[in-house]
Structure formats: structure tokens, C-alpha cells
């Protein structure tokens, strides 16, 4: 009888060792929530489709709420189909605009060019100026410079001179013309040599003088 009791005790110690880990049902021993989370390498984000809208910074807006996305200054409305944004027909920017702001839904011109640039200088609108003695210019409202060049009359002399700050040449000694190589004043007869008396054409100062021969003093002396 003692022998049988001893064999029973040996079996009780051996049988637990025969139970392998595969025989344990894991469903009966659920793991902790922390262990389950750490074993999942893929992060799961919330899906806001049909529930809200997300801007570029990750901020969530409710359905029906108006907001401004990160890359647009036009307002949007959050809908179940996603954000619906205003796309107005913005006015054209003035071609002479020098300062444009983009703070609103449409760009706005804050400063329009109100001057003209001519030969490196700036002039106010409607300002008149003379860049050279022969030019008269004005800065137009279109920011363009319109100039008129003086048309000088034909001088009444054969030796005109240009004075500083004057466009057209002037005859400092009055009208004159050429008698040969000699310059004679207009309006009078001039004896250019012993035999010829000359005078200028009236109004045709560029033409050679008209001359007539008289008795030469040399013949009278004979």
C-alpha cells in the first residue's frame, strides 16, 4: 500500500512539467492594453471625413464653420464633402502699381506710380520741364513723358552762334550774307573792292550777295 502512494506522488510532480506553453489558450489570458499598443507599429489617426475639416496646421473645424486655410486668404466653409472655398473674380492690378498687399482674399494695390521717369530723373504728374534747350516735355497722367522739339527758323545770317541755354542760333551782328568770302551786313550797299558794290537779298540771307561793277578806281587813276 505504501508503494502505491509513493507512485501517485511521483505522477503529481511529473504531469505539470508535461504541460507545454502551446497548450495554454491565450484567449483565456488577455494581455494588458499597454502591451497591445506597443506591439502595433502603425499609428492610427482619426478620420474626420464627413465630421469636420482639417487645415494645414492640423486644426479641426466643425461642419458649417468658416475658416481660412493656410495657403489661401479666401474663406472656406467646412462641409461633409470637404472645404468649399470662395473664389471671387478679383479686380486687375493697375500696371503701374508699385505696392501690392495680399492680406485679403484678393490682392490689393496700395500705391500706384504717380511720377514719370525720364533720363534717370523723376517728374510729378503734369509737371513740365526742359531736358535740353530745344525740348519741352510734360509728365502725363499715364506716367509717360511727351516732348516737343523746337523747330528753329533759318537764321538771317551766315555766321549764327549758339548761346548757352538757348535752343536756336542767333545772329549777334544782325542779318548778313556773303559777298565772295566777305561777310557784309544786310540793308546797305557795300563796296567790297575797287570795282564791285554788293548788297544782300531781302530775306534770302543764305544766298550770295548781288554785286554790280562800277568804274574801278585804278582806271580813273590812269
Amino acid at each position: 500500500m505504501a508503494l502505491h502512494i509513493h507512485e501517485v506522488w511521483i505522477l503529481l510532480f511529473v504531469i505539470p512539467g508535461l504541460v507545454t506553453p502551446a497548450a495554454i489558450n491565450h484567449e483565456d489570458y488577455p494581455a494588458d492594453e499597454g502591451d497591445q499598443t506597443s506591439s502595433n507599429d502603425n499609428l492610427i489617426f482619426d478620420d474626420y471625413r464627413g465630421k469636420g475639416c482639417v487645415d494645414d496646421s492640423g486644426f479641426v473645424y466643425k461642419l458649417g464653420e468658416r475658416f481660412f486655410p493656410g495657403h489661401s486668404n479666401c474663406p472656406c466653409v467646412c462641409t461633409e464633402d470637404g472645404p468649399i472655398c470662395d473664389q471671387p473674380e478679383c479686380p486687375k492690378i493697375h500696371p503701374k502699381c508699385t505696392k501690392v498687399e495680399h492680406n485679403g482674399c484678393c490682392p490689393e494695390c496700395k500705391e500706384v506710380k504717380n511720377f514719370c521717369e525720364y533720363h534717370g530723373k523723376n517728374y510729378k504728374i503734369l509737371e513740365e520741364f526742359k531736358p535740353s534747350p530745344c525740348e519741352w516735355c510734360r509728365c502725363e497722367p499715364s506716367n509717360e513723358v511727351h516732348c516737343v522739339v523746337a523747330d528753329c527758323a533759318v537764321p538771317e545770317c551766315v555766321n549764327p552762334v549758339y548761346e548757352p541755354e538757348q535752343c536756336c542760333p542767333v545772329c549777334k551782328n544782325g542779318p548778313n550774307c556773303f559777298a565772295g568770302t566777305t561777310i557784309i551786313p544786310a540793308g546797305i550797299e557795300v563796296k567790297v573792292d575797287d570795282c564791285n558794290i554788293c548788297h544782300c537779298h531781302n530775306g534770302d540771307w543764305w544766298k550770295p550777295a548781288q554785286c554790280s561793277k562800277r568804274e574801278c578806281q585804278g582806271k580813273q587813276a590812269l
Side-chain angles (χ1 to χ4, degrees):
M1 184 67 180
L3 179 61
H4 291 293
I5 294 175
H6 179 70
E7 292 176 356
V8 171
W9 279 107
I10 293 175
L11 291 175
L12 289 178
F13 283 105
V14 172
I15 290 176
L18 297 176
V19 180
T20 62
I24 300 175
N25 191 349
H26 288 283
E27 294 181 358
D28 296 335
Y29 299 92
D32 294 338
E33 293 182 359
D35 296 337
Q36 289 183 345
T37 304
S38 60
S39 63
N40 189 0
D41 295 334
N42 297 323
L43 298 178
I44 299 177
F45 293 96
D46 292 335
D47 187 359
Y48 291 99
R49 287 177 295 181
K51 304 176 184 178
C53 301
V54 184
D55 63 7
D56 293 350
S57 62
F59 193 87
V60 181
Y61 296 88
K62 299 178 182 179
L63 294 178
E65 191 173 0
R66 292 175 65 87
F67 66 99
F68 292 85
H71 297 289
S72 173
N73 288 318
C74 294
C76 300
V77 177
C78 181
T79 69
E80 292 183 356
D81 298 326
I84 298 178
C85 305
D86 294 341
Q87 294 182 349
E89 294 184 2
C90 297
K92 294 183 178 179
I93 299 296
H94 195 283
K96 301 294 183 180
C97 185
T98 57
K99 184 179 180 181
V100 180
E101 288 188 358
H102 300 273
N103 294 330
C105 186
C106 292
E108 296 183 5
C109 180
K110 294 298 182 180
E111 185 176 340
V112 178
K113 182 180 178 181
N114 58 353
F115 62 89
C116 299
E117 186 176 354
Y118 189 76
H119 291 177
K121 294 184 179 180
N122 295 336
Y123 300 92
K124 298 179 182 179
I125 299 296
L126 301 182
E127 181 180 357
E128 298 178 357
F129 57 96
K130 288 176 65 67
S132 69
C134 292
E135 290 181 287
W136 175 84
C137 302
R138 185 174 73 169
C139 175
E140 301 294 341
S142 61
N143 303 110
E144 296 179 351
V145 175
H146 289 172
C147 297
V148 176
V149 179
D151 186 11
C152 297
V154 178
E156 298 180 346
C157 60
V158 295
N159 57 349
V161 295
Y162 287 88
E163 295 288 346
E165 302 302 325
Q166 290 188 2
C167 174
C168 299
V170 295
C171 298
K172 298 189 70 174
N173 298 319
N176 56 39
C177 65
F178 276 115
T181 58
T182 303
I183 298 176
I184 63 175
I188 60 174
E189 291 185 343
V190 178
K191 188 176 182 181
V192 295
D193 54 32
D194 293 338
C195 302
N196 294 296
I197 296 177
C198 303
H199 68 277
C200 296
H201 293 272
N202 289 330
D204 296 334
W205 318 111
W206 63 92
K207 293 182 179 180
Q210 290 180 326
C211 298
S212 60
K213 288 188 176 182
R214 303 289 176 89
E215 292 184 359
C216 299
Q217 292 181 354
K219 291 182 179 181
Q220 292 178 357
L222 297 175

